[in-house]
Amino acid sequence: MNITSEIKMKLSITIFLVLLICNSIFAKEATQSSINLQIGMAYSYNLTSELQIEGIDYDNSGFAFFVRGMLQSEYFLSIGVESGFVPIKNIYNKAIQNEFGSTNVKSNLDAIPILLVFGMDFEELKIYYGLGYYNIIARISAFEEMSRSSDFSLGFMFASEYNILKYKSIYSDIFLKIYQISDANRTILNAGISFNYKF
Amino acid sequence: MVKKIIFVFLIILLQFLLSCDNIFSIVYPEFSDNSMLVNASKLPEITIPLIEGIFKTDDKQSKMGDQIVLKFNKDKLSVFCSKSMDLFIMNSGVVDSGIVFEGWGRDLETTSVTLGRIFIHSGKGAQSLLEGIMPDSLIITFSLVVENQAKSSQNSSNFSYEYKFIRKLNENKNFHIIAHRAGARNSDLFTASENSLEMINIAESFGANGIEIDIRLSLDKIPVLFHDNFLSNRLVDGDILLGAIENYTLKHLKSFCRLKNGETIPTLEEALNEVLLNTKLNLVWLDIKSSDVIEYIIPIIQKYEELAIKNNRNIKFLTGITSIEVFEKIQLHSEKKLATICELDKQTAKRAKSKFWAPQWTLGYLNTDIQELENEEIQSLVWTLDDRKFIIEFLENSNYHGILSNYSPIVAYEYYIRN
């Protein structure tokens, strides 16, 4: 872990503590708590422009999904956890030629976020802020060899959702979301639709 | 509502701060149409050794300090200085019977860069130098050049100083100036990436006569040069490769990963080949990042030890004993007689029959220990010494046989002006 990561880690803990303290300070009068289960799917696009290696075309887009459980209580913020699947970058069976010969390349770079999420409602609009780790999974198949790697990276998430449908305990929102995977320096934009069920 | 907006604003601000990365870069300036070398002829080979030496000025205002060191690496001139600039790397040529050097200069501890030009007038020693004769008096004009200045004038800078040759360099091949990570770290913002072949190639321009390189294994057990555990953003533009370097085969690393300045990750074999064929470096310190590496590096080192002898080169290939595990692994292959450099305590250095002992600089001068090991033919190198003040103190007060540094131009300067 380099110094930048250490500083980020300390800042993350600070943010987490600030959120918890604010949550307690701004506590509203007691209301009924509820659990909100949310699933969503989105078109995902990797905004990060890394060095392109000559002769290799990448696909920066894909389909992402997430699952989120939120506890909505008397506090200022709702709190919960989120996970899912976020594609970052892929190569689908592209033929390349280099010093090692010619080969077909198949590669996936994906992330599984594991985030602690804080949410806040502004009537129809909801704001979510997530903090945690991304399990980044890289797989590559080329030159009849297979490499696979899995690593955790500190990261964040910021999402805004707008309610478009309400039916009893079921809600549907459209959302725009940014995943920032800090250590790996990747920013991924998601736009999609989610379905909520309030218990 | 206002509370909520302030709160959201605070979160966005913090997120923004957390997303920031410490990424700096330097654009090294180049001479364009104001270069005096555009139509210059090549500097004769016989002239090169005559120019190497210590030069002095009486001008107390000089931005390069009162003494400078001139030394060649192939056809490039390195100028080691001590004041507002530490290093210049210059191209050379002959113009109208005068000798010209032009290139960039750098203050190593900041991102400050400049253009510099050295001119040797035909009447101030150039004529003799071009004939291969050392002149009685050799005076150079060293200018910091502002871009877009007139092509014709060698005195067109606001900062121009005359330096006089005072003596040749006293090169003791037994004193090792060792450049960290093959030359410098990525954070030092040079034109080549750390642990790359390109960096090995310019290490001598930084004043080094030895290099330290970091060794790890690829998935297919090929030793490669790489410092960190992971293909981090600090070292690579990995594109589709992230995670531990040990998880990827060499072909995948070479094909889909680039070091920060665009180079591929070199294998140990490529690195030693570069040292042997394209440099005059006489020491390679292999910093072993995992004991698993040992059995895979032995045949490569043995091959290059033999090749070095065949090529009439005296190169020390030293395997770093960085942990007890590495020491035990080396002991398992004791019949291979691997030359080692022990980074542990002096007793382990003795037990391992190491060629070198390498204590950390914070342990101090350790002159008694150095003497004790010298009696057993073990030399001592200190690491990693970067601050000019401490480099001077160690050169003046300790008996180390070399210094490992991220700033080898500073070590070179301070070493040469004292010897």
Side-chain angles (χ1 to χ4, degrees), chain B residues 37-190:
Chain B
L37 293 176
V38 173
N39 296 314
S41 55
K42 197 172 179 285
L43 189 68
E45 291 281 327
I46 47 165
T47 306
I48 287 175
L50 302 177
I51 295 172
E52 290 190 328
I54 314 281
F55 292 73
K56 192 171 184 182
T57 183
D58 294 326
D59 189 342
K60 300 289 178 206
Q61 304 300 316
S62 172
K63 289 188 169 295
M64 280 72 82
D66 63 339
Q67 290 187 77
I68 57 172
V69 177
L70 269 58
K71 194 172 188 306
F72 276 90
N73 173 28
K74 303 180 192 85
D75 60 342
K76 296 226 186 252
L77 178 72
S78 294
V79 185
F80 306 116
C81 320
S82 65
K83 220 169 167 185
S84 61
M85 290 290 144
D86 295 309
L87 169 70
F88 285 82
I89 297 182
M90 298 178 165
N91 294 313
S92 58
V94 179
V95 180
D96 299 335
S97 331
I99 300 172
V100 180
F101 300 97
E102 287 180 346
W104 54 258
R106 167 86 196 273
D107 176 12
L108 296 179
E109 290 176 359
T110 71
T111 53
S112 177
V113 286
T114 187
L115 283 172
R117 177 183 287 148
I118 289 176
F119 188 81
I120 309 175
H121 197 273
S122 60
K124 292 186 175 177
Q127 200 170 350
S128 301
L129 289 172
L130 292 171
E131 290 165 3
I133 302 162
M134 190 66 199
D136 294 336
S137 169
L138 171 59
I139 294 170
I140 66 172
T141 306
F142 195 163
S143 310
L144 297 183
V145 179
V146 178
E147 279 183 276
N148 303 321
Q149 282 184 332
K151 184 178 178 178
S152 58
S153 170
Q154 65 270 24
N155 292 318
S156 56
S157 166
N158 294 328
F159 306 107
S160 196
Y161 313 97
E162 281 203 337
Y163 281 85
K164 189 173 182 184
F165 178 88
I166 53 169
R167 65 176 168 85
K168 302 292 292 174
L169 298 180
N170 188 4
E171 285 199 73
N172 174 3
K173 295 223 183 295
N174 290 323
F175 189 83
H176 303 286
I177 300 169
I178 303 162
H180 198 205
R181 300 190 195 169
R185 301 162 298 185
N186 280 1
S187 57
D188 299 316
L189 304 173
F190 278 108

Side-chain angles (χ1 to χ4, degrees), chain B residues 239-413:
Chain B
D239 262 345
I240 48 176
L241 308 191
L242 284 172
I245 190 166
E246 286 85 354
N247 292 334
Y248 295 100
T249 65
L250 183 71
K251 282 180 184 172
H252 291 170
L253 288 169
K254 289 267 191 193
S255 302
F256 306 109
C257 191
R258 293 289 179 271
L259 296 172
K260 275 294 175 188
N261 286 285
E263 310 92 334
T264 57
I265 295 172
T267 62
L268 173 62
E269 183 142 14
E270 287 170 338
L272 298 188
N273 202 50
E274 185 72 18
V275 169
L276 181 68
L277 300 181
N278 295 322
T279 75
K280 291 178 184 170
L281 296 166
N282 59 32
L283 186 147
V284 181
W285 174 346
L286 309 180
D287 190 348
I288 305 300
K289 294 296 183 189
S290 152
S291 60
D292 301 339
V293 168
I294 297 299
E295 62 188 287
Y296 300 99
I297 63 169
I298 289 172
I300 299 168
I301 292 173
Q302 286 182 325
K303 175 183 168 185
Y304 279 90
E305 280 173 342
E306 285 168 19
L307 281 172
I309 292 165
K310 274 187 193 162
N311 284 271
N312 233 353
R313 293 281 305 278
N314 180 17
I315 307 174
K316 297 176 182 73
F317 299 102
L318 304 172
T319 303
I321 299 178
T322 48
S323 66
I324 290 295
E325 292 77 38
V326 172
F327 171 57
E328 286 169 352
K329 224 27 180 312
I330 290 172
Q331 293 297 96
L332 291 176
H333 299 274
S334 56
E335 79 285 355
K336 306 287 186 190
K337 295 195 178 355
L338 211 54
T340 59
I341 177 164
C342 181
E343 296 176 35
L344 307 177
D345 59 282
K346 67 174 180 179
Q347 298 306 335
T348 311
K350 285 182 188 177
R351 277 171 59 208
K353 295 189 173 63
S354 292
K355 297 278 183 204
F356 284 83
W357 177 49
Q360 204 169 358
W361 74 274
T362 47
L363 295 172
Y365 303 141
L366 303 175
N367 284 340
T368 315
D369 296 325
I370 292 168
Q371 187 58 53
E372 183 187 328
L373 289 175
E374 204 173 309
N375 294 339
E376 300 192 26
E377 296 185 342
I378 300 172
Q379 295 188 30
S380 301
L381 303 175
V382 62
W383 60 276
T384 303
L385 209 44
D386 289 345
D387 190 292
R388 188 183 290 270
K389 176 173 164 272
F390 290 118
I391 290 168
I392 293 168
E393 284 181 15
F394 272 74
L395 282 170
E396 291 184 345
N397 301 313
S398 78
N399 297 323
Y400 282 106
H401 302 87
I403 294 174
L404 170 70
S405 178
N406 290 302
Y407 298 142
S408 51
I410 297 178
V411 180
Y413 174 85

